[in-house]
Amino acid sequence: MSRSLPDHILEVRDLKKYFPIKAGVMKKTTGHVKAVDDISFFLRAGETLGLVGESGCGKSTVGRCLMKLYDITGGSILFRGRDITAFNRRELIDFRKKIQMIFQDPYASLNPRMRIRNIIGEAIRVHGLAERGEWQDRVAALLHDVGLRTSHMARYPHEFSGGQRQRIGIARALAMNPTLIVADEPVSALDVSIQAQIINLLDRLKEKFDLSYLVIAHDLAVVEHISDRVVVMYLGHIMETATDRDLYTRPAHPYTRALLSAIPGTGKKNRQNRRIILKGDVPSPINPPSGCVFHTRCPDMFPACRQEKPPMVKISENHWVSCLKYTG
Amino acid sequence: MNPMISDTMPMQPAEQHGRPSTLFRICRKMWHLKMGVMGGIILAVMLVFAVAAPLIAPHDPYEQNIIQRLLPPSFMENGSDRHLLGTDGVGRDTLSRIIYGTRVSLIVGLSAVCIQVGIGVILGLMAGYFGGRTDSVISFMVNVMMGFPFILFAISLVAVIGPSLQNIIFALGVTGWPVFTRVTRVETIKLKESEFVLCAITLAFSTKRILLVHILPNLLPAILVLGTVEVARAIIRESLLSFLGLGIQPPTPSWGMMLAEGRDYMLGEWWLAAFPGFAIFLSALGINLLGDALRDLVDPHMRKD
Amino acid sequence: MKAYIIRRLVQAVAVCLAISMISFFLLFLNSDPALLLLPPEAGLEDIEIFKKSMGLDRPVIVQYLVFLKKIILHGDFGNSFVSKTPALALMLERVPATLSLSLMAVVLANALAIPMGIISAVKRYTIFDNLVTFLAIVGQAMPLYWLGIMLIIIFGVFLGWLPISGSDTIWHMILPAVTLGAWLLPVNMRLVRSGMLDVLNQDYIRTARAKGLLERKVMVKHAFKNAVIPLVTVTGMQLSLLLGGAVVTETVFAWPGLGRLAVESIRMGDYPVVQAIVVFFALCVVFGNLLADILTALIDPRIRLE
C-alpha cells in the first residue's frame, strides 16, 4: 500500500487523531484521547467499504477526519491520490462537492427551521449546481430518486418520520453530485423495519449515480448486505480487513468472531453458533493497553500479546489481520 | 394502626409534587396566555399613544399655565375636569405629558435593545462558533462589563458624552449587550456540534452562511424572548437616568424626568410622582408579561421552572 | 480545584484592571482637570505649568500606568477636585452606610424569600405558588426609585410613621432597607423556588419519600440544605444588582452612602472620587462572584467547574 493505485478513490495512511485533555492553571495538555491510532485502509472506486466496531472505537472519528470536520493528528488521507490536508480554499470546496456525508441522527441532521426545498436545494443554489431557475426541478428530481414526493418540498422536517428524514438527508448529499458518500451509522437510529428500506435505497442509488460508499456501523449485520469489503476497528486500531464473504465465513480475528457471534439467529453456514461473550469493558482510549489493544478482553490471549504490537498480516488475497496468532 | 395504611400515607402528598393534572396545566397555560394578551394590549396601547400622541392628548404637553398649576387629579377635591390627572408645577397637563412620554420610552427602549442585540449577538456567535482565543477575548469582555456596575458605567458615560436622546440610547446600548452575548454564545456552542451544522460544513458553505442561515435562525426565539424583557429593562433604566437628571433634558416629556420633578412635590402633591412612575411600571409589566407568554409559546423547555 | 481557583483569581484580577482602565480613559481623558481646578482667570501659561506638574503632558498610557501604580502601591486615587482631600478616604468614609443598608436589605429579602420560595415549590401549582410567580413578575417591572418614593408618600407623608430621609436614627434605615429588600425579593424568591424544585425532583428525595419518611422531615433534612445553594451563589452574584440598587435607593432617601457620593461626584465632575468608587464596586462584584462560584463548587461537588 505504499503508492496510491489509480483505482483507489480514497487512501488512508497511518491516520492518527488524538484529542488533547487539558488541565491545570495554564490549561496544559496532560494527555490524549487516542480516538484513532495509526490506521490505514483504502477504498476502490465503485466499492462499498464497511467500517465496523463498537461505539467508542473511533469509527465515527475516522469518518469526520475524512470529511475534514476534524484536523488530523498524523498520517495522511489521499482522495484520488491527493492529500486532503494540503487543500487550499478553492480545492477544499471542490473536494467537498465530491465527498458527502449521511448522518446518524435523522432528527438532528436537518435544520428544523428550513423547508425541505431549501434543505436540499441550498447547496445547488450556493454552488451553482443547476441552471438558474431550475434548482427546484433538480430538488424535485432528487426527491423522486430517494422515494419522496415533490409535494413534500414545502414542508418542514418535523412533519416527517425518521425514515423519510433519512431519505431527505440522502437527497441533500446527492445534490452535490458526489462520487464518494460517507454514511455514519445511516440506519442505527431507525426502526428495524425501516433499516432495510434505507439500505436498499443506498444500494440502488449506488448503481444509478456511480457512487462509492464508506458505511460506518456498530454492528456487522447492517453492513453485511451492502459491503464489498469490511474493516473491523477496535479502540482506534484496525483488527481485520477482508472481503465481505471472507469476513463472514472465515473470520480470522478473535474480535471479529465475537462480533459475528453477536448477530442473532442466522442460518449461515460456517458461522459459529456459540455466542462469544467478551469479558470486561472497552478500555479507556486515554491509556490504551500495551501490546495488542484487544488483549485485555481476548478469549485467545497468550503472554506475548501483552508486549508485542501485532503487525498487519496478509492471510489471503484482500484479507488482512492484526493478531499475533497469524504472525510467523 | 394498619401497617398498610401507614406505609401508603406519606406517598399521598408526594402525588402533589408529580405532574399536575392535564386540566390544571391547560388552565395554567390559558392563564399565561391571558397574561400575555394583556401584556400585548398594554404594548399596543403604548404604540398607539406614541404614534398618535397629538390626536389623543387632551392638551399641548408644553403649554404652561401658572394659574392652573398643581391641580389635583379630577377625581379629587378641587380637581378640574379639564385635567384628568392634574397639572404639574408650571401648570402643564400631566396626562398629556404621560401620553407624549410614551414616545421617549419606546424609542429609547427599542433602539437601545436593537444596539444590544446587534453587538451581543454578533459577539456571541463569534465566541461560540470560533471558540479558542476569540472566545477567551469575548468572554473576558463580558466579564468586564458584568463587573462594571451598570448604573455607574451608564451615568459616567452620559456625564462624559452629554445627556441627549441619542447618547442615552448609545449608553444603554453599549452597556446592556453582555446578556445577549451570554445566551447566544451558549446556544451557538450547542448548535455548532449539531449534525445539521456539521452537514452545512460538509456542503462547503461559507462560515458567514453557516452562522447567519443555519445557526442564527435557531437562536431567534431565545433572542426574541430575552429582547422583550430587555426592552422593559431599558425603559426602566432610561427613566432612571432621567430621574438622576442625566437623561432626556427638559422640557421634552419623559416619565423618569416627570417622576424626578414630582419628587420635589411628594410631601403635598403625591400624584405628580405617582402617575409617571405608574406609567413606567405598567409598561414594563406589560412587556414582561408578553415576554413570559412568548417564552411559553416559543419553547416549552425555556420555562423558568 | 486548586488550578480552577488560581485561574479564576487571575481572571478576576484581569477584569478589575480592565475596569480601572476603561473608567480611567472614560473619565480622565474626557475631563480637563485644569479647567476644574484652576481659577477661571488663569492664563494659558498657568495651565501649561499646571499640566506639567500633574503629569498631564505625558502619553496617556504612561498616565494610566502612573495612576495604576499609585493605586496599587499607596491606595492613592488622587485628591478630590472638590474637597481637595484624598478620594480614597472620602470613599471609605461612606462604606459603612452602604454596607449596613445593603446587609439589612439582604436579610429582609431573604427572610421572606426563603420561606416563600420553599412553600411555593412544595405547594407547586397552587394558588399560593401562582401568587408568588405573579408577584415576581410584578416585582421585576417595579422601578426601584418609584417604589421608594411611593413608600415615602405612604409611610412618611400620609401615615407619618417613619422619617423619609437622612440617617440619624435606626428608624431612618427602615424605609430604604425595605425598599431595597422588596426590590430584591422577587429574584431571590424565584431562585429559591427553582432550586427547591430541582432538589424535589432528585432521586434521593423521591427515595426518602418512598421509604415513608415524614414529609416535613424530608423537607428540612434533605431538600432545604440543597435549595439554599443557589441562594449562596445568588447573593454573591447579586452584589452587582445590590450595589446598583443601593445607588438608586441612597439617592432617593438621601442616605449618605457610596451610591449617593457616586452620583454627586459624577454630577460635579469629581472624577478621582468616581474612579475610587468604580474600582471599589468592581472589586466587590468580581470577587463576590468568584467567592460564590468557589463556595458553590465546594458545597456541591457535582457542579462541573468548567
Side-chain angles (χ1 to χ4, degrees), chain A residues 64 67-69 92-93 96 99-101 103-106 108-114 119 122-123 125-127 172-173 176, chain B residues 191 193-207 209-210 213-222 298-299:
Chain A
R64 290 183 174 191
M67 299 305 301
K68 282 211 71 162
L69 289 172
L92 185 62
I93 293 177
R96 290 213 150 123
I99 172 165
Q100 276 298 302
M101 191 161 193
F103 290 86
Q104 175 178 7
D105 183 352
S109 64
L110 305 181
N111 188 338
R113 303 205 172 259
M114 278 170 96
I119 287 177
E122 191 183 10
R125 274 186 299 152
V126 170
H127 298 302
R172 173 177 57 187
M176 295 281 267
Chain B
L191 284 174
E193 297 298 323
S194 71
E195 291 194 339
F196 73 83
V197 171
L198 291 179
C199 180
I201 298 174
T202 68
L203 289 169
F205 295 151
S206 63
T207 307
R209 183 172 197 88
I210 292 171
V213 178
H214 293 261
I215 294 180
L216 187 59
N218 285 289
L219 301 177
L220 284 182
V298 162
D299 186 352

Side-chain angles (χ1 to χ4, degrees), chain B residues 15 31 33 70 83 108 115 147 164 167 174 182 192 225 305:
Chain B
E15 291 293 320
W31 190 73
L33 272 179
L70 295 174
H83 300 283
V108 172
I115 296 177
S164 72
N167 286 352
V174 297
R182 274 191 163 179
K192 183 173 80 168
V225 170
D305 49 39

Side-chain angles (χ1 to χ4, degrees), chain A residues 157-306:
Chain A
H158 66 85
E159 299 172 59
F160 293 91
S161 69
Q164 286 174 316
R165 283 158 164 258
Q166 202 54 300
R167 288 169 193 267
I168 294 164
I170 294 170
R172 173 177 57 187
L174 289 175
M176 295 281 267
N177 297 317
T179 54
L180 170 63
I181 287 184
V182 175
D184 186 3
E185 306 239 18
V187 297
S188 63
L190 304 176
D191 289 344
V192 180
S193 57
I194 312 290
Q195 290 190 352
Q197 289 178 16
I198 298 293
I199 294 286
N200 290 338
L201 173 69
L202 287 174
D203 229 8
R204 231 174 344 106
L205 294 170
K206 184 181 169 185
E207 298 299 317
K208 180 162 180 180
F209 292 98
D210 205 13
L211 297 166
S212 310
Y213 284 139
L214 177 71
V215 179
I216 298 168
H218 64 262
D219 110 54
L220 277 166
V222 168
V223 292
E224 180 171 6
H225 304 286
I226 49 167
S227 302
D228 300 308
R229 286 186 305 124
V230 178
V231 172
V232 178
M233 270 185 83
Y234 177 80
L235 209 63
H237 295 258
I238 292 180
M239 298 289 109
E240 185 169 6
T241 310
T243 59
D244 185 44
R245 188 180 331 130
D246 276 352
L247 194 89
Y248 288 90
T249 55
R250 285 189 294 278
H253 200 283
Y255 180 60
T256 316
R257 287 206 293 261
L259 282 183
L260 274 174
S261 78
I263 302 176
T266 50
K268 288 229 161 146
K269 47 189 168 169
N270 291 339
R271 190 175 285 172
Q272 290 149 317
N273 290 326
R274 188 172 55 86
R275 173 95 202 254
I276 304 167
I277 310 269
L278 293 175
K279 52 188 173 162
D281 293 321
V282 182
S284 154
I286 300 169
N287 280 313
S290 57
C292 171
V293 288
F294 187 55
H295 84 253
T296 53
R297 303 174 76 199
C298 182
D300 304 344
M301 200 264 288
F302 45 98
C305 297
R306 287 210 186 90

Side-chain angles (χ1 to χ4, degrees), chain C residues 34-202:
Chain C
L35 296 180
L36 279 166
L37 293 178
L38 291 181
E41 63 273 13
L44 274 176
E45 213 160 283
D46 297 328
I47 293 178
E48 282 307 309
I49 295 166
F50 172 78
K51 277 193 168 171
K52 204 155 218 156
S53 72
M54 294 280 284
L56 293 172
D57 53 340
R58 286 189 279 179
V60 272
I61 190 75
V62 177
Q63 285 189 45
Y64 172 67
L65 289 175
V66 168
F67 161 83
L68 194 64
K69 196 180 113 195
K70 275 194 195 157
I71 296 180
I72 293 172
L73 293 183
H74 315 290
D76 179 12
F77 285 86
N79 284 348
S80 156
F81 293 164
V82 178
S83 71
K84 320 282 188 220
T85 52
L88 184 74
L90 271 177
M91 181 202 80
L92 288 177
E93 205 169 87
R94 302 288 192 105
V95 171
T98 299
L99 202 68
S100 54
L101 173 64
S102 306
L103 214 66
M104 187 80 166
V106 169
V107 168
L108 280 177
N110 285 348
L112 277 174
I114 294 176
M116 282 170 86
I118 289 178
I119 294 171
S120 78
V122 173
K123 307 270 175 217
R124 200 179 171 188
Y125 299 120
T126 58
I127 306 262
F128 182 82
D129 181 28
N130 277 337
L131 210 72
V132 164
T133 311
F134 186 74
L135 206 69
I137 294 176
V138 169
Q140 246 184 340
M142 184 72 80
L144 175 58
Y145 44 93
W146 185 57
L147 182 65
I149 290 174
M150 292 320 280
L151 289 180
I152 289 179
I153 289 174
I154 296 169
F155 293 101
V157 180
F158 278 156
L159 303 173
W161 291 352
L162 293 163
I164 57 174
S165 77
S167 60
D168 304 331
T169 66
I170 187 85
W171 298 107
H172 286 89
M173 193 156 147
I174 292 177
L175 273 184
V178 166
T179 306
L180 192 53
W183 188 65
L184 293 171
L185 178 65
V187 187
N188 290 13
M189 210 160 57
R190 217 164 193 164
L191 274 153
V192 175
R193 177 176 180 271
S194 66
M196 192 71 187
L197 281 176
D198 274 355
V199 177
L200 287 176
N201 283 325
Q202 307 247 301

Side-chain angles (χ1 to χ4, degrees), chain B residues 14 17 20 24 28 140 147 149 155 157 159-160 236 239-240 244 259 263 267 270 273-274 277-278 285 292 304-305, chain C residues 14 18-19 26 30 122 124-125 130 137-138 141 143 145-146 153 157-158 190 193 209 215 251-252 266-267 281:
Chain B
H17 306 287
F24 210 113
R28 203 177 152 82
F140 181 71
I155 52 183
L157 192 58
V160 167
I236 293 183
S239 62
L240 172 59
L244 294 175
L259 185 49
R263 190 180 159 217
L267 297 183
W270 56 268
F278 189 70
L285 178 66
D292 241 39
K304 272 169 260 167
D305 49 39
Chain C
I19 291 174
L26 190 65
N30 284 294
V122 173
R124 200 179 171 188
Y125 299 120
N130 277 337
I137 294 176
V138 169
Y145 44 93
W146 185 57
I153 289 174
V157 180
F158 278 156
R190 217 164 193 164
R193 177 176 180 271
R209 278 219 193 93
E215 197 65 14
T251 311
V252 173
I266 287 173
R267 282 219 188 107
F281 272 25

Side-chain angles (χ1 to χ4, degrees), chain B residues 256-272:
Chain B
M257 205 186 57
M258 292 171 70
L259 185 49
E261 288 166 357
R263 190 180 159 217
D264 298 339
Y265 297 99
M266 70 185 171
L267 297 183
E269 291 77 19
W270 56 268
W271 54 87
L272 284 177

